Amino acid sequence: MLTRLAGGRVIDPAHGVDGQARDLYLRDGRIIDTPSDAATAQSIDVAGRVVMAGAIDLHTHVGGGKVNLARLLLPEDHRRQGYERTPLTRSSCGHAAPGTLATGYRYAEMGYTACFEPAMLPINARQTHLELGDTPIVDKGCYALLGNDDFFLRMLASGQPQSRINDYMAWILDCTQAIAIKVVNPGGISAFKFNQRRLNVDEAHSYYQVTPRRVLQALSRAVHELGVPHGLHVHGCNLGVPGNIDTTLATIEAAEGLPIHLTHVQFHSYGTEGDRKFSSAAARIAEAINLHQNVSADVGQIMFGQTVTASGDNMMQYHNAELGSPRKAVIMDIECDAGCGVVPFRYRDQSFVNALQWAIGLEIFLSVRDPWRIFLTTDHPNGAPFTTYPHLIRLLTDRAFRNGMFEKINPEARAASILGSLTREYSLYEIAIMTRAGPARTLGLADRGHLGAGAAADIVVYRDDADRERMFATPEYVFKDGELIVRDGRLVKITDGSVHTVKPDYDPSIEAEVAAYFERYQTTSADRFRISRDELRECGSGLIVHACRKASR
């Protein structure tokens, strides 16, 4: 069927289009140029409406072991928000840690058509994909979590060549159907198992005698030389520790100019100034990102209210457990692979630390100049549930509203922040970059995040509203692969999404080495590690493979 969206104000940063009135034609799930049979199109009048590509969340914890543990730990979260069964939808529940069905429904209702799980343990990849396959409508993708696994650390400790490390990385990406590589607290998750309680960039792991710097260098070079579009996704050392800005800047240096992505950078941008020895280092991290073109970041904005922190960084979650609210936690090791920590948390606007964290995130958003290299996230659910995104967008686009919120926070935090002096307001064009075109470009999704001919027909139509929170919370229309799925903020059709992945080349001889390792140390065999295309299809997901580029050096 041919559909025309007529007369909308198109905002498409990938093609430099900013509010021009245009018609869009959709056929067979794709956007096409004006066809010869345009007169036969089913026309939808969207004149005066704002038209963007479907939004993409490049960092959101929506599947895998830690998410399930968070759900199990918080029955009160399920009671807080339930979704009743309707003739169209199935029942689900959850606010901070929503079920798979609620996750897909709420993302779609907000105009999001893709979301990426950023910390998939390779050993747990099958369960993660089953879970994501149960998440309706939105496309998905996963970042394989490496850098603390025994096999990799043995490779580093024994001095294996970079080419062999590259083969292992590529094998992991291929077997687990992942699109990128993620590292959490490089070497630190493993070091925690050997009773180390901290590990900075140039401290050696007590057993393997390798440093986080070496881990970062090997992983970032592997990702680059394999041509994986998204640079190494880095959760650095010392998350949440006052003074960790120095660690974050050292992490940037460790990449030696290779592409890296600093995730939830707000949690890594703290100084030690002031009587409380806790201060904002947002200006320093923004300056570093502005200077280093190889670095991108997502903010991990905190929002006030109840949530749950779920992270592979068991070293830091062990330290945070006593701060849990309600006070309960799960801290666990995963043999030979990684770890996990789940701690419920309530962020309070009258807490000095929480209020300053809130301000630090906004300071970073408003101080990084290039919207193509800074992305809108709350590190769902760690900073806040993803359902707070419309409120965050209003904070970024409406200075008066932001200043009004700023006046309500803890007065000591307010005095320690420069947020009130920042006058920048994001435009709709910049919002479209950081939530659509930017994530698509950094992940290598050539047919997503834009509205050009050949793109997937993932399209959102908004009523232009000065209240940007209301505008982005309830789109007028959402199309997924050309099908109308949301009208006036309510679902009208349920579809299945696809899984996005990459398949870099590698020397298949690595498989024998890995198989021997699995036989000796693991409780499963290497041949059970691989997830096939048919398995993904059986759990409700198609597979879209994106091209790897050739490394420039």
Side-chain angles (χ1 to χ4, degrees):
M1 184 177 70
L2 179 64
T3 301
R4 177 178 65 179
L5 303 181
R9 288 174 47 211
V10 173
I11 298 179
D12 183 12
H15 296 98
V17 179
D18 186 7
Q20 298 176 21
R22 295 188 173 186
D23 292 349
L24 291 179
Y25 289 89
L26 324 180
R27 174 177 276 160
D28 298 330
R30 295 279 162 179
I31 299 172
I32 62 173
D33 288 323
T34 304
S36 58
D37 58 344
T40 67
Q42 176 188 11
S43 186
I44 301 175
D45 183 7
V46 293
R49 309 295 198 267
V50 174
V51 182
M52 297 183 183
I56 300 168
D57 193 345
L58 93 168
H59 186 105
T60 176
H61 297 283
V62 291
K66 63 190 175 305
V67 178
N68 271 328
L69 287 171
R71 292 167 179 150
L72 289 168
L73 193 65
L74 293 172
E76 62 270 32
D77 184 62
H78 311 325
R79 292 191 293 269
R80 180 179 179 184
Q81 189 163 330
Y83 296 86
E84 293 184 1
R85 181 178 180 273
T86 72
L88 180 66
T89 62
R90 294 156 60 193
S91 61
S92 192
C93 60
H95 168 70
T100 54
L101 300 172
T103 297
Y105 299 157
R106 287 299 295 124
Y107 262 120
E109 288 169 346
M110 289 166 44
Y112 276 78
T113 54
C115 57
F116 290 81
E117 164 54 54
M120 176 181 69
L121 286 178
I123 201 72
N124 198 39
R126 181 168 280 102
Q127 187 271 335
T128 302
H129 279 296
L130 285 167
E131 206 170 327
L132 294 179
D134 198 48
T135 303
I137 305 172
V138 293
D139 287 349
K140 282 79 65 171
C142 301
Y143 311 156
L145 187 60
L146 293 176
N148 284 280
D149 55 303
D150 179 61
F151 188 88
F152 169 76
L153 290 172
R154 286 172 182 264
M155 295 182 86
L156 278 192
S158 64
Q160 291 211 30
Q162 182 68 45
S163 61
R164 204 59 173 165
I165 293 172
N166 296 359
D167 291 335
Y168 175 58
M169 300 291 108
W171 179 81
I172 287 287
L173 287 166
D174 183 37
C175 286
T176 65
Q177 303 288 6
I179 194 172
I181 296 293
K182 164 84 172 291
V183 62
V184 171
N185 191 356
I189 299 174
S190 173
F192 182 76
K193 302 176 188 182
F194 292 85
N195 284 325
Q196 284 181 261
R197 292 297 177 255
R198 64 186 300 274
L199 191 68
N200 216 328
V201 176
D202 291 306
E203 290 183 74
H205 189 298
S206 63
Y207 180 77
Y208 300 97
Q209 293 301 307
V210 297
T211 64
R213 183 181 296 272
R214 181 72 185 98
V215 172
L216 288 164
Q217 289 171 341
L219 291 177
S220 59
R221 183 157 294 281
V223 169
H224 179 69
E225 292 181 356
L226 290 170
V228 175
H230 188 52
L232 179 65
H233 203 85
V234 180
H235 164 141
C237 306
N238 293 327
L239 177 142
V241 177
N244 63 12
I245 181 61
D246 293 327
T247 301
T248 307
L249 297 179
T251 299
I252 293 174
E253 293 172 4
E256 299 180 325
L258 295 176
I260 61 168
H261 178 91
L262 302 177
T263 192
H264 42 66
V265 72
Q266 177 276 135
F267 289 107
H268 302 271
S269 300
Y270 303 153
T272 56
E273 298 175 357
D275 294 339
R276 300 194 184 217
K277 304 301 180 184
F278 180 75
S279 61
S280 170
R284 292 178 65 190
I285 191 61
E287 180 183 18
I289 294 171
N290 290 335
L291 180 65
H292 293 84
Q293 295 298 308
N294 62 305
V295 177
S296 61
D298 62 80
V299 171
Q301 177 69 35
I302 77 146
M303 306 290 265
F304 302 123
Q306 181 67 50
T307 191
V308 59
T309 62
S311 173
D313 196 344
N314 55 356
M315 178 182 280
M316 299 316 301
Q317 291 292 71
Y318 170 80
H319 293 301
N320 293 334
E322 63 182 26
L323 303 175
S325 178
R327 190 162 179 181
K328 49 185 174 180
V330 175
I331 311 295
M332 63 180 292
D333 291 338
I334 299 170
E335 184 180 1
C336 299
D337 213 3
C340 179
V342 179
V343 181
F345 199 83
R346 177 181 291 275
Y347 294 102
R348 296 173 170 84
D349 61 359
Q350 295 309 305
S351 159
F352 169 77
V353 171
N354 296 167
L356 192 53
Q357 288 177 301
W358 177 85
I360 289 168
L362 294 174
E363 288 173 7
I364 295 170
F365 270 121
L366 299 170
S367 300
V368 173
R369 291 192 292 267
D370 184 0
W372 289 93
R373 293 189 295 118
I374 193 78
F375 303 104
L376 189 144
T377 68
T378 58
D379 186 24
H380 165 82
N382 292 291
F386 66 81
T387 47
T388 61
Y389 286 173
H391 181 72
L392 177 53
I393 290 172
R394 187 176 182 189
L395 288 169
L396 297 175
T397 57
D398 186 338
R399 183 192 178 200
F401 176 74
R402 181 171 70 238
N403 285 346
M405 295 293 293
F406 183 59
E407 289 299 317
K408 298 177 182 178
I409 68 171
N410 176 282
E412 291 181 76
R414 194 165 64 242
S417 172
I418 64 167
L419 181 60
S421 66
L422 298 177
T423 60
R424 181 179 177 184
E425 294 179 318
Y426 271 77
S427 66
L428 289 178
Y429 189 82
E430 290 174 313
I431 294 295
I433 292 173
M434 71 193 311
T435 60
R436 277 107 168 143
R441 186 171 78 174
T442 192
L443 291 170
L445 313 181
D447 62 347
R448 313 282 153 155
H450 69 91
L451 298 174
D458 295 350
I459 303 169
V460 189
V461 179
Y462 301 99
R463 296 181 181 88
D464 196 357
D465 191 327
D467 183 339
R468 298 304 193 204
E469 182 172 356
R470 183 166 55 211
M471 173 179 170
F472 281 92
T474 53
E476 185 172 5
Y477 300 106
V478 179
F479 294 84
K480 180 72 184 77
D481 294 316
E483 296 190 73
L484 180 62
I485 58 168
V486 172
R487 182 186 293 117
D488 293 325
R490 298 180 64 86
L491 290 166
V492 296
K493 186 171 185 177
I494 307 299
T495 63
D496 293 324
S498 296
V499 170
H500 295 268
T501 187
V502 292
K503 300 290 181 183
D505 294 330
Y506 63 92
D507 182 346
S509 67
I510 191 69
E511 295 177 358
E513 188 176 336
V514 173
Y517 172 85
F518 268 68
E519 182 67 25
R520 181 172 183 182
Y521 295 108
Q522 296 281 16
T523 57
T524 185
S525 61
D527 61 346
R528 291 296 302 152
F529 200 78
R530 182 177 294 277
I531 301 169
S532 70
R533 183 186 293 259
D534 287 341
E535 283 187 86
L536 289 179
R537 191 177 295 114
E538 287 174 2
C539 66
S541 299
L543 186 67
I544 300 173
V545 179
H546 295 276
C548 290
R549 50 163 175 71
K550 290 185 177 180
S552 59
R553 56 183 257 201

